[in-house]
Amino acid sequence: MTGKQFTSVWLREPRKATSPGLSREEIVRASIELLDAEGLAGLSMRKLGAKLGAGATSIYWYVAHKDELLELVYDEVWGEMRLPEPEDVGWRDAASTLAYSMRQVMLRHPWSADLLGRLPALGPNAMRVASGMRRMFRMAGFEGMDVDYAGSTLTAYVYGKTLPEIAWNTSMSAHEYDPDEMRNMVVTAARDYPDMLEGLDMSAYDDVSAIQAVAFDFGLVSVLDGLERRLPA
Amino acid sequence: MTGKQFTSVWLREPRKATSPGLSREEIVRASIELLDAEGLAGLSMRKLGAKLGAGATSIYWYVAHKDELLELVYDEVWGEMRLPEPEDVGWRDAASTLAYSMRQVMLRHPWSADLLGRLPALGPNAMRVASGMRRMFRMAGFEGMDVDYAGSTLTAYVYGKTLPEIAWNTSMSAHEYDPDEMRNMVVTAARDYPDMLEGLDMSAYDDVSAIQAVAFDFGLVSVLDGLERRLPA
DNA sequence: ACCTGAACACCGTTCAAGT
DNA sequence: ACCTGAACACCGTTCAAGT
């Protein structure tokens, strides 16, 4: 309730595109290297400064605070997402490709899961995807606000599905993974809930990522089917 | 790849349910008060200790590290979710009620958005919901792994949709909200993407939460329709 | 069995001062 | 215009010591 207007890096002019010293591009590139290598917790202003051969606080000349830095790297993530022209492949194929691409990008940059859906997505790359997605759903036949509702339904599914995948992956790569131990744990946790085990395919724990892929596709097809049904006749 | 087995608070025996000193219940209750009042960043071991009239490090007797504390409070969140008996109301109504309930709980405890999908959900309350959800989708007619796929599709949608709502809400309550300013910002951000504004209902910014509710329902109906279509004939 | 305090190795951010 | 270093107000966690 208190305080200032909402703002975003993308709504201010950047600090001189000209030469001397650091540049936004360098800072963003170094940040992403740090993030890919060490995760979100690995990106600190001090480490970033060190990596750039600068004082820890020099970055504050280019960026008002760390959140703005995150907005900057966040948009790079959007830059990696592929959305084919819906006019070429039809809206359903375009939507599938986008969804799969979003998932791949998130899995490639696990730290992005902490940013997606939390930070305002007002950067140029995010806008490009958002705009393409609107065209896609318009072409499908959606009208008015339904265009946005359809878009946010699709992205919500992809976030919500991929987020726990990433949490699982990072937890598992930090620990020793043993399928048998895992099966035991599940049985222990479910001891009072026999429902939980009924019909559960325990061999799923032998190749988790294969199951995750199948699960993703199952849901994606369902979501697209559901959206298709809402199209005005 | 390195190190120890995966573990969870819920897989260890708690430290004496008996009397003296602090108890898990007290600690969890105080934590949630702190979280509701100040958000995730407001919960520090020092503040929690102070609130309990104890040294900052006393909590480490009850909990191995902060993440375990978070697992504990996380399960309380699941405890607030409502899932009617699918036998009484039918699977679609039960699924809707659960989805709306999840959204409400998340909006009520915005900090839960940072935990959902990230932390292992092995506590008793999470198990109760998971088990009820399996029964629900089994009753609907799903079989084998499809029961789980359907469940994770539904929860993925609810997370993914509610998460940005929460981010929006917290950002807006930290700033002065002015619909006109907001409309200007959107126009500015979309300056190079005329697609973005076409068919966009600018009056949406006058009552954002109403639009969010409509958007949630649109997507939920779509997801449930899509799932229904996958039922074996 | 339970709690303490000091200590360690970190954080983001501000700001006066330097070039 | 750009960068620095010191300082402030924090973190989570460990551990020897206390009762």
Side-chain angles (χ1 to χ4, degrees):
Chain A
M1 211 60 67
T2 39
K4 350 215 8 280
Q5 268 292 138
F6 170 82
T7 174
S8 158
V9 230
W10 300 109
L11 300 169
R12 295 194 282 98
E13 284 306 310
R15 211 118 215 200
K16 307 263 296 167
T18 57
S19 35
L22 299 171
S23 73
R24 263 194 186 178
E25 290 75 47
E26 279 181 274
I27 293 174
V28 168
R29 191 161 22 81
S31 299
I32 290 183
E33 279 174 36
L34 231 26
L35 287 165
D36 283 339
E38 306 183 38
L40 194 66
L43 178 65
S44 76
M45 300 308 254
R46 286 167 224 258
K47 280 193 204 165
L48 180 58
K51 195 180 176 85
L52 291 164
T57 55
S58 309
I59 298 122
Y60 284 92
W61 182 256
Y62 299 92
V63 127
H65 40 247
K66 197 186 179 184
D67 274 1
E68 284 203 356
L69 177 61
L70 293 177
E71 273 193 87
L72 255 16
V73 301
Y74 182 38
D75 197 58
E76 295 297 305
V77 167
W78 284 101
E80 292 185 30
M81 293 181 187
R82 278 188 51 228
L83 174 52
E85 285 300 322
E87 288 80 5
D88 298 345
V89 298
W91 77 271
R92 259 194 92 123
D93 266 23
S96 276
T97 302
L98 175 63
Y100 269 101
S101 166
M102 286 183 64
R103 176 168 178 264
Q104 288 310 325
V105 172
M106 289 177 72
L107 293 174
R108 200 153 58 225
H109 303 298
W111 47 269
S112 70
D114 295 310
L115 272 28
L116 248 333
R118 297 189 146 67
L119 253 37
L122 298 170
N125 287 316
M127 291 309 273
R128 179 186 54 80
V129 175
S131 149
M133 205 155 67
R134 295 192 103 247
R135 279 194 0 259
M136 175 176 92
F137 281 118
R138 209 105 49 75
M139 205 207 87
F142 288 101
E143 288 162 11
M145 288 297 275
D146 285 4
V147 176
D148 298 275
Y149 297 157
S152 88
T153 299
L154 180 64
T155 55
Y157 169 70
V158 178
Y159 289 3
K161 187 80 198 167
T162 310
L163 212 115
E165 275 193 63
I166 291 173
W168 170 276
N169 290 346
T170 53
S171 166
M172 286 315 137
S173 66
H175 299 95
E176 209 83 66
Y177 181 66
D178 175 357
D180 288 321
E181 278 283 351
M182 197 51 74
R183 279 182 275 260
N184 276 334
M185 278 185 30
V186 172
V187 173
T188 308
R191 56 185 116 63
D192 302 322
Y193 298 89
D195 274 309
M196 286 302 292
L197 302 171
E198 208 169 306
L200 191 63
D201 181 2
M202 278 296 188
S203 71
Y205 290 98
D206 289 321
D207 188 351
V208 174
S209 73
I211 294 283
Q212 285 174 338
V214 174
F216 183 80
D217 198 68
F218 179 101
L220 179 59
V221 170
S222 305
V223 169
L224 295 178
D225 281 351
L227 289 176
E228 195 161 3
R229 258 201 99 210
R230 312 219 60 182
L231 251 13
Chain B
M1 211 61 68
T2 41
K4 348 213 14 279
Q5 269 292 137
F6 169 82
T7 176
S8 159
V9 228
W10 301 108
L11 300 169
R12 295 193 283 97
E13 283 307 308
R15 212 118 214 198
K16 307 265 296 168
T18 59
S19 33
L22 299 172
S23 72
R24 264 196 186 177
E25 290 74 49
E26 279 181 273
I27 293 175
V28 168
R29 191 161 22 80
S31 299
I32 290 182
E33 279 175 34
L34 230 27
L35 286 165
D36 283 340
E38 306 182 38
L40 194 65
L43 177 65
S44 76
M45 300 307 254
R46 286 168 223 259
K47 280 194 206 164
L48 180 57
K51 195 181 176 85
L52 290 164
T57 56
S58 309
I59 298 124
Y60 284 91
W61 181 257
Y62 299 91
V63 127
H65 40 246
K66 197 185 180 183
D67 273 2
E68 285 202 355
L69 177 61
L70 294 177
E71 273 193 88
L72 255 16
V73 301
Y74 182 37
D75 196 59
E76 295 297 305
V77 167
W78 284 100
E80 292 185 29
M81 292 179 188
R82 279 190 49 229
L83 174 52
E85 286 301 321
E87 288 80 5
D88 298 344
V89 298
W91 77 271
R92 260 194 89 125
D93 265 21
S96 276
T97 302
L98 174 62
Y100 269 100
S101 166
M102 286 182 64
R103 175 167 178 267
Q104 288 310 327
V105 172
M106 290 177 71
L107 293 173
R108 200 153 58 223
H109 303 298
W111 48 270
S112 70
D114 295 309
L115 272 29
L116 247 334
R118 298 190 145 68
L119 252 39
L122 298 170
N125 287 316
M127 291 310 270
R128 180 186 53 80
V129 174
S131 149
M133 205 156 65
R134 294 192 102 246
R135 279 194 358 260
M136 174 178 92
F137 281 119
R138 210 106 51 74
M139 204 206 87
F142 288 100
E143 289 163 10
M145 288 297 275
D146 286 4
V147 176
D148 298 276
Y149 297 158
S152 87
T153 300
L154 180 63
T155 55
Y157 169 71
V158 178
Y159 289 2
K161 187 80 199 168
T162 309
L163 212 115
E165 275 193 63
I166 291 173
W168 169 275
N169 290 348
T170 52
S171 165
M172 285 315 136
S173 66
H175 298 96
E176 209 83 65
Y177 181 67
D178 176 356
D180 287 321
E181 279 283 351
M182 198 51 75
R183 279 182 274 261
N184 275 335
M185 278 186 32
V186 171
V187 173
T188 308
R191 55 185 117 62
D192 303 320
Y193 297 89
D195 274 308
M196 287 300 293
L197 302 172
E198 209 168 304
L200 190 65
D201 181 3
M202 278 296 188
S203 72
Y205 290 99
D206 289 323
D207 188 350
V208 172
S209 74
I211 294 282
Q212 284 174 337
V214 175
F216 183 80
D217 198 68
F218 179 100
L220 179 59
V221 170
S222 305
V223 168
L224 294 178
D225 281 351
L227 289 176
E228 194 161 3
R229 258 202 98 212
R230 311 219 58 182
L231 250 14

